[in-house]
Amino acid sequence: MGKFVISTRKNGEFQFSLKAGNGQEILASEGYTTKAACLNGVESVKKNSQDDARFDRLESKNGKYYFNLKATNGQIIGTSEMYETTASRDNGIASVAKNAPDAETDDQTA
């Protein structure tokens, strides 16, 4: 079972990461100025991860593969790690789609 981990950055912003059942991070958020906005981001991932069209499959300049998950308004709500192959990246997308909807939230800022 996956989980969302909410933490605070050094600059005071909030962020979340989605971790798979094995503890590996599969999606990381941008920084949010408030915890409420960060929690909204978590809900957005839960919803948008179920629509394959919301995943942008990308290749970096150094030839690694990654993906962004976008909200309905086109804003990026999460970015993956870098993968060596497109198959690994696609497995990461499948993992987000599988883990996000029922993932618990672990708030480490409290």
Side-chain angles (χ1 to χ4, degrees), residues 50-97:
Q50 301 310 292
D51 183 350
D52 190 64
R54 300 264 183 260
F55 290 95
D56 278 347
R57 293 157 172 85
L58 304 162
E59 182 177 352
S60 66
K61 290 179 180 163
N62 67 0
K64 306 264 187 186
Y65 301 94
Y66 68 105
F67 62 86
N68 288 327
L69 176 61
K70 290 186 171 181
T72 50
N73 64 4
Q75 182 178 1
I76 295 171
I77 48 179
T79 301
S80 72
E81 64 180 355
M82 293 293 172
Y83 296 97
E84 295 293 328
T85 66
T86 56
S88 296
R89 179 195 59 205
D90 292 346
N91 285 340
I93 290 170
S95 185
V96 170

Side-chain angles (χ1 to χ4, degrees), residues 4-68:
F4 287 96
V5 177
I6 297 175
S7 58
T8 310
R9 294 181 173 186
K10 288 180 181 165
N11 65 2
E13 289 184 332
F14 296 91
Q15 67 182 19
F16 66 81
S17 61
L18 175 60
K19 297 192 179 206
N22 63 6
Q24 181 179 2
E25 182 176 291
I26 49 179
L27 192 72
S29 76
E30 63 182 3
Y32 294 93
T33 54
T34 66
K35 189 188 290 189
C38 186
L39 291 169
N40 285 341
V42 168
E43 290 305 314
S44 187
V45 169
K46 288 182 177 189
K47 183 175 68 174
N48 289 291
S49 65
Q50 301 310 292
D51 183 350
D52 190 64
R54 300 264 183 260
F55 290 95
D56 278 347
R57 293 157 172 85
L58 304 162
E59 182 177 352
S60 66
K61 290 179 180 163
N62 67 0
K64 306 264 187 186
Y65 301 94
Y66 68 105
F67 62 86
N68 288 327

